[in-house]
Amino acid sequence: MLVDLIQNTLDGLTAGAAYALLAIGFTLIFGVLRRINLSYGPAIMLGCYAATWFHVQFQVGLLVLAALTLAATVLAGAYVERLCFAPHRDRSAIAAMVASFAIWMQLEELATLVLPNHLYAFPALYEGGPLSLGPFTLRAEALVMFAVTVLACLALQRLLYRSRFGLSVRAVIDQPVAARLVGINLPWVFVRVFAVASALGAVAGYLIVASAGQVTPMLGMWSTLKGMLAMMLGGLGSLPGAIVGGLALGLIEAHSQWFFGPQVRDLTAYFLLFALLALRPSGLWTTPRHG
Amino acid sequence: MSALLEVKDVVTAYGKIEALKGVSLEVQQGSITCLLGPNGAGKTTLMMSTAGILRPRSGSIQFAGAEIAGAAPHAIVARGIALVPENRLVFPGMTVTENLRAGAYQRADKAEIEAHIERMFARFAPLKARATQLGGTLSGGEQQMLSVARALMSRPRLLLMDEPSLGLAPLIVDEIFRIIAELNKDGTTIFLVEQNAHMALKVANHFYLIEQGKVTFSGDPGSLAEDEVIRRAYLGSARA
């Protein structure tokens, strides 16, 4: 019983690490643009599909695949920004969101047009079996996932608090009018934030498909849902909240699967989100906003 | 003296409602020019149009001989205009020092920026004690000082100030106006929007009255009896 509980916690934290990465990307875009980008996941999916296509055609190595996923996702992200968010900057948030939904469909169609099978094999990160630590088992991929998430969070922290770009991002999140008044070029910040968020999403996406050993077009919807859910659990627009929300989502899923069975796994998360929105709509982890 | 800022026939609208209905005025190099007028007359709209946050529908805004109407705010900052906005708009989640660093966003001279921040702390002593505190935790008067200091960090030739005394205690208001006079003495041209006509007329070289989106009077302090200016600035002549 206790062994199971700990094992579930380990599994939950691993899945949660990926969710946290997805949620951070989502939160960056939401914090800076105050817009929900539904195409966030589909852009990641497209990046993974681009890598898969290269893998199918040329049998390239792991690092090349990772680089391809990153490059293609960032490109897809920039495409989404130019098409959905740049034209609707001062206008309706709904228009931007609906546009991002339309692009979602477009990206999904593109992926299934080029690679029409339902699923494709994706080279695994590690070919050996799971590692055992006493009574617990841990996949090597899980360790990589965890390590990469921690590194990505540290890198992002450095970027946000130690660079001029980070200063501009925090200024835009904090007080957008004042950010423009001190001379920050808003459209340029938006494009770069999209690139950073897409890059984080690509890292998460690559690790997820490499752990699963396969990729399907559903990855797009899956990433958007998990990222959004984790972001909302943590509190809209808070980066530490996104990490907490991601880990919480992973833990909740792992434990509820053990208690109630695999069918209930996703349902619990949605139920929790519903309860949270009803009882504490600002999220679990919110910083008070002044001024 | 020559005009540093020249506003001509500027019309700015929110949807169908014109907040500025053809405003023309000039700010002379080295002056403190004040814009007075009742609530809703279009004072903030003119400031926001000059800073590029709002885009004028028509008319021209020339700064040091170059047209800036409709330019992006960052391009206007680069030319040497900084706005201290109404309600101060400090970055609430950033420290005082970070607020100042953000004010120097377009500058690349890292060492000089840090030295400039130290000079700001010398000039605005209350900020120094709060250097590592978040902007949102400051008092109203401190936030106003921070907002002014942040604007100065871009080393503007023209400082726009929108209601710097709004909501502040009288002692702090005196302090703010002392700072305005000092900045001007150091060579910064100042274009000031004020509700507090009495204080504004004490420091201004020239003033304009704006009522319902139009300039209705301009002159030097003393060219119109002060109580008449104040009456119109608060109430507008139409309703008097």
Side-chain angles (χ1 to χ4, degrees):
Chain A
M1 172 75 191
L2 185 68
V3 171
D4 284 349
L5 209 67
I6 294 173
Q7 179 68 53
N8 287 337
T9 304
L10 280 175
D11 294 344
L13 286 175
T14 309
Y19 297 160
L21 269 187
L22 290 171
I24 289 171
F26 227 105
T27 301
L28 267 179
I29 293 175
F30 181 81
V32 169
L33 282 90
R34 299 274 135 194
R35 300 276 189 276
I36 297 280
N37 174 20
L38 292 176
S39 259
Y40 178 63
I44 296 168
M45 181 273 297
L46 200 79
C48 293
Y49 258 69
T52 307
W53 186 81
F54 265 88
H55 174 63
V56 169
Q57 301 288 322
F58 309 112
Q59 301 289 322
V60 289
L62 278 184
L63 276 178
V64 180
L65 278 184
L68 277 170
T69 308
L70 191 73
T73 306
V74 169
L75 268 181
Y79 174 74
V80 171
E81 199 275 338
R82 285 291 96 189
L83 231 65
C84 303
F85 295 94
H88 298 293
R89 188 142 294 146
D90 304 319
R91 282 175 270 156
S92 158
I94 287 290
M97 193 166 87
V98 172
S100 78
F101 183 71
I103 300 293
W104 171 345
M105 295 298 122
Q106 199 191 59
L107 297 180
E108 235 175 61
E109 288 298 322
L110 180 68
T112 48
L113 208 69
V114 178
L115 295 173
N117 292 353
H118 178 62
L119 72 84
Y120 287 84
F122 199 90
L125 273 179
Y126 176 71
E127 297 294 347
L131 317 167
S132 45
L133 295 144
F136 311 114
T137 56
L138 204 58
R139 296 176 63 200
E141 289 94 333
L143 285 177
V144 173
M145 182 102 80
F146 217 81
V148 170
T149 301
V150 170
L151 281 179
C153 289
L154 290 175
L156 183 69
Q157 161 89 14
R158 230 189 131 66
L159 181 71
L160 285 177
Y161 286 88
R162 294 267 179 279
S163 76
R164 187 166 171 268
F165 170 60
L167 184 70
S168 70
V169 170
R170 287 189 298 135
V172 173
I173 292 175
D174 226 21
Q175 174 43 259
V177 175
R180 297 173 76 192
L181 288 175
V182 298
I184 291 168
N185 183 348
L186 224 55
W188 181 223
V189 170
F190 289 161
V191 174
R192 286 186 296 168
V193 161
F194 252 84
V196 171
S198 302
L200 286 169
V203 171
Y206 174 78
L207 292 175
I208 289 160
V209 294
S211 303
Q214 62 181 51
V215 57
T216 80
M218 295 300 283
L219 177 67
M221 183 171 83
W222 187 88
S223 305
T224 290
L225 279 180
K226 298 295 183 192
M228 203 148 72
L229 210 57
M231 172 174 83
M232 286 174 160
L233 279 173
L236 282 179
S238 155
L239 288 170
I243 298 171
V244 173
L247 294 175
L249 181 61
L251 287 172
I252 292 160
E253 286 186 354
H255 286 294
S256 62
Q257 181 172 3
W258 188 81
F259 276 108
F260 308 112
Q263 303 90 332
V264 187
R265 182 187 165 112
D266 286 343
L267 204 63
T268 333
Y270 294 129
F271 178 75
L272 207 87
L273 178 66
F274 175 77
L276 188 76
L277 287 176
L279 298 173
R280 208 180 139 82
S282 54
L284 288 175
W285 185 289
T286 39
T287 43
R289 291 193 70 85
H290 321 266
Chain B
M1 285 209 277
S2 62
L4 183 61
L5 183 76
E6 239 184 305
V7 176
K8 241 184 228 150
D9 302 321
V10 164
V11 176
T12 303
Y14 302 96
K16 281 189 175 152
I17 298 156
E18 288 184 353
L20 300 179
K21 301 168 181 163
V23 168
S24 301
L25 53 80
E26 285 181 2
V27 175
Q28 299 298 319
Q29 174 94 45
S31 73
I32 298 180
T33 302
C34 185
L35 184 63
L36 303 170
N39 275 332
K43 304 187 297 289
T44 294
T45 305
L46 181 63
M47 287 286 160
M48 290 299 216
S49 302
T50 309
I53 301 288
L54 294 173
R55 183 181 276 268
R57 185 160 286 178
S58 63
S60 120
I61 302 175
Q62 298 222 326
F63 176 66
E67 182 63 45
I68 58 164
H74 64 91
I76 291 174
V77 172
R79 287 191 176 278
I81 297 182
L83 168 62
V84 180
E86 191 179 12
N87 297 322
R88 339 194 212 286
L89 305 188
V90 300
F91 297 112
M94 289 166 43
T95 66
V96 167
T97 307
E98 285 174 332
N99 266 273
L100 295 177
R101 227 169 258 148
Y105 179 73
Q106 293 198 345
R107 291 169 54 184
D109 46 345
K110 245 185 163 178
E112 174 51 27
I113 290 173
E114 296 307 313
H116 200 173
I117 289 176
E118 285 310 314
R119 290 204 297 282
M120 285 301 164
F121 283 152
R123 174 169 246 156
F124 304 97
L127 294 184
K128 190 179 171 67
R130 309 232 179 276
T132 57
Q133 254 178 259
L134 296 184
T137 65
L138 268 52
S139 72
E142 289 163 350
Q143 287 195 8
Q144 188 62 59
M145 281 184 199
L146 180 56
S147 189
V148 173
R150 182 181 67 188
L152 291 173
M153 286 303 294
S154 71
R155 289 193 291 212
R157 295 169 64 189
L158 173 65
L159 186 66
L160 307 174
M161 302 179 90
D162 195 350
E163 304 269 11
S165 73
L166 195 70
L168 300 183
L171 263 175
I172 316 267
V173 173
D174 289 346
E175 173 74 8
I176 294 286
F177 274 94
R178 191 186 58 72
I179 290 166
I180 291 172
E182 224 176 81
L183 290 175
N184 181 247
K185 221 174 75 196
D186 293 350
T188 312
T189 305
I190 291 168
F191 185 27
L192 173 72
V193 156
E194 256 303 332
Q195 281 266 327
N196 190 337
H198 175 68
M199 286 301 284
L201 288 175
K202 270 202 223 163
V203 295
N205 309 107
H206 196 81
F207 74 93
Y208 290 90
L209 252 180
I210 183 170
E211 295 169 78
Q212 296 178 10
K214 280 190 164 156
V215 171
T216 53
F217 186 85
S218 88
D220 301 334
S223 61
L224 193 64
E226 190 178 304
D227 54 350
E228 168 70 4
V229 177
I230 289 173
R231 195 174 57 77
R232 284 171 66 177
Y234 280 104
L235 305 169
S237 54
R239 275 165 285 174

